[in-house]
Amino acid sequence: ALFLPSTVKSIGNYAFVWCGSLRLLILPHRIDLDNVKEIISYRTAICQIADNTGVTIEYDENNAIANDESNRRVNEWLFHHMDHAPFHKLCYNSSITTKHLNAYINEHGNDTALDIDTIHGMTPLHMLSMNPHAPADAIAAVLDVDVEVVFRLDGQGKISLDYARDYNVGGLVALVNGLCNHLQSQKCSMIIHISKRGRTGL
């Protein structure tokens, strides 16, 4: 995954062509696509994802240079392909804050934390845990909405903890701490329940 800062204004030729394992890239919402060149190729995993949706890079007769029209289509796809999942796009943003997340959840409801995007099979927490710019308290805030979401598998068979371990160590600590607190809370609730039953039996 690659999380570009929202301040990026242009991207030069072949910037990510050799990033074969790159599966997630959303172009910044303020970038002018006229300033984005041929940045991925058929060697890039996300290019294969685009191809599966019918958006294909077309090359010249030597299979070396992408034609401008097809390159523009691919870049437009990189810009818009997650529009169907606005919470995921918010979690992908390099400037994400806990305030942004809470405002979105308050407006759209807690169930949005369980949404799964149709391209990567990710929940918002997957996206947030993968984002190296996401603050730990933001990750904890999404976990607090529904702790079960941390165990959901994405299209790669990974849970949010896997991505936090690789991309956001502070987020990993927040997730583990949140899970420990949840477990402790469950134990306390069970003890209180047993205690009440015991008193009732007397």
Side-chain angles (χ1 to χ4, degrees), residues 49-109:
I49 295 173
D51 189 65
N52 290 338
T53 68
V55 180
T56 304
I57 296 179
E58 299 173 2
Y59 292 90
D60 62 14
E61 61 275 11
N62 297 318
N63 202 34
I65 301 175
N67 69 55
D68 291 341
E69 184 178 344
S70 74
N71 187 60
R72 175 79 182 198
R73 285 199 302 270
V74 169
N75 288 339
E76 288 177 347
W77 182 86
L78 288 172
F79 189 89
H80 290 294
H81 74 284
M82 291 294 289
D83 285 356
H84 69 284
F87 195 17
H88 291 72
K89 285 192 73 172
L90 179 64
C91 292
Y92 178 92
N93 194 306
S94 62
S95 302
I96 186 65
T97 66
T98 306
K99 183 179 180 180
H100 294 148
L101 290 174
N102 287 335
Y104 187 93
I105 292 171
N106 288 338
E107 181 177 352
H108 299 279

Side-chain angles (χ1 to χ4, degrees), residues 148-190:
E148 296 297 327
V149 72
V150 77
F151 300 112
R152 296 287 179 92
L153 297 174
D154 70 355
Q156 298 296 303
K158 294 187 176 184
I159 61 176
S160 300
L161 286 164
D162 294 322
Y163 291 122
R165 179 196 62 214
D166 294 338
Y167 297 99
N168 193 317
V169 176
L172 176 63
V173 173
L175 289 175
V176 172
N177 187 56
L179 288 172
C180 290
N181 289 340
H182 178 71
L183 180 60
Q184 187 64 33
S185 175
Q186 283 189 320
K187 287 182 179 178
C188 290
S189 297
M190 187 178 299

Side-chain angles (χ1 to χ4, degrees), residues 184-197 199:
Q184 187 64 33
S185 175
Q186 283 189 320
K187 287 182 179 178
C188 290
S189 297
M190 187 178 299
I191 291 171
I192 292 171
H193 179 68
I194 293 173
S195 177
K196 286 181 177 179
R197 287 182 59 186
R199 288 199 301 271

